[in-house]
Amino acid sequence: MAKILVTGGTGYIGSHTVVELLKSNHEVVIADNLINSSIDVLDGIEKICGKRPDFVKIDLADSKAARDLFSTHKDLDAVIHFAALKAVGESVNHPLKYYRNNIFSLINVIEGITKQGISHLIFSSSCTVYGLPDRLPVTESTPVKSANSPYGNTKQIAEEILSESCSVNKNINCISLRYFNPVGAHESALIGELPLGVPNNLLPFITQTAAGLREQLSVFGDDYDTPDGTGVRDYIHVVDLAHAHMAALDRLIAQNNDTNYEVYNVGTGNGHSVMEVIQSFEKVSGVELSYKKVARREGDIAAIYADTSFAEQKLGWKAKLNLDAMTSSAWKWEQSLRSKKG
């Protein structure tokens, strides 16, 4: 059993990873500022696991607050750093907000683990670091090109900071997981994606439209160079993604890492278009969606999907859940939310 700090642990991916950590009998401390999540998520985690993680409300971009957090929790074995702003469109309109939050918080985490002698760090990166790739699928050695958004650039900069920090401090062992497009929810429907305000991601907008909260779904772009003209992404079930974090943690704790900074793609290896996601949702839910095709959204690219063979080889991890499992679990979660709110 290890003691793990999970920053952003009440968020979407963080909360599902916390569940897997607790199920594996790890001790968990969540640090979150709750600007994109709800404290009620702790109730869902407790109902699933039968135990409640410790929780600290904190802005990790505040260096003093971060120092206090690491001074209080000196006995940590590892940190999983999710805490970040993540909306591509918002980052285009408010770039400084994203640089301040995402970069400062990472620097404070690195300084905290360095000072306290904490060896293991898993970083929540993104396939946005690849920019607009020349060929698909992307591998970990695919050239990193100019980011398409300030959000993507914060992930590129963060990876550079981590790589350079690890090169000068061999006591830090870090794995960056480059996520593709997390969707779905826990099978219990007790936790899931909980966007505050208008969703930025496709599947919550689909489920909210089906539930009557949104009048119509906008499909951004129907003229991409893809089979049906809509954007193609590598959608991965959030529970599969949580299991990838467990595999990365096991690798670090067992000291099986080849170098003290490793990077892995985390996806399914399959690309699905926006229309394919809509069709899957309509099939599993029996609900006919109202949608319209509109102009492309700034910062979006036509298609991206992963080559996941490196993660399969080194982490012993592979995604198991298919697109229908993703859309059906997301719909079950949406229905659970609506029943609670009457």
Side-chain angles (χ1 to χ4, degrees), residues 1 18-28 30 41-54:
M1 185 184 82
V18 167
V19 164
E20 298 306 320
L21 288 167
L22 291 173
K23 284 167 62 177
S24 297
N25 294 317
H26 293 301
E27 183 181 351
V28 176
I30 292 175
V41 170
L42 297 177
D43 296 333
I45 292 172
E46 186 174 17
K47 287 177 183 175
I48 294 169
C49 300
K51 46 191 167 183
R52 193 178 187 90
D54 290 340

Side-chain angles (χ1 to χ4, degrees), residues 205-276:
F205 212 112
I206 286 176
T207 60
Q208 288 191 11
T209 302
L213 275 72
R214 308 289 164 193
E215 185 176 339
Q216 196 170 51
L217 170 71
S218 293
V219 177
F220 295 103
D222 64 352
D223 58 350
Y224 287 112
D225 185 16
T226 61
D228 62 22
T230 63
V232 169
R233 298 291 183 270
D234 188 338
Y235 295 96
I236 177 173
H237 199 295
V238 67
V239 173
D240 276 333
L241 183 51
H243 289 153
H245 287 83
M246 298 300 296
L249 180 65
D250 289 345
R251 181 172 174 83
L252 288 178
I253 289 177
Q255 298 182 333
N256 287 332
N257 46 311
D258 297 328
T259 67
N260 71 327
Y261 182 65
E262 297 182 336
V263 174
Y264 295 94
N265 286 338
V266 184
T268 64
N270 300 306
H272 292 288
S273 72
V274 173
M275 289 308 303
E276 285 180 301

Side-chain angles (χ1 to χ4, degrees), residues 32 57-59 91 116 129 167 177 187 193 215 222 281:
D32 204 305
K57 186 177 180 182
I58 179 177
D59 179 3
S91 77
Q116 298 301 336
V129 300
S167 70
L177 298 180
E187 62 182 2
E193 191 166 6
E215 185 176 339
D222 64 352
F281 177 81

Side-chain angles (χ1 to χ4, degrees), residues 65 120 123 168 185 188 222 242 303:
H120 307 313
F123 176 64
V168 298
S188 65
D222 64 352

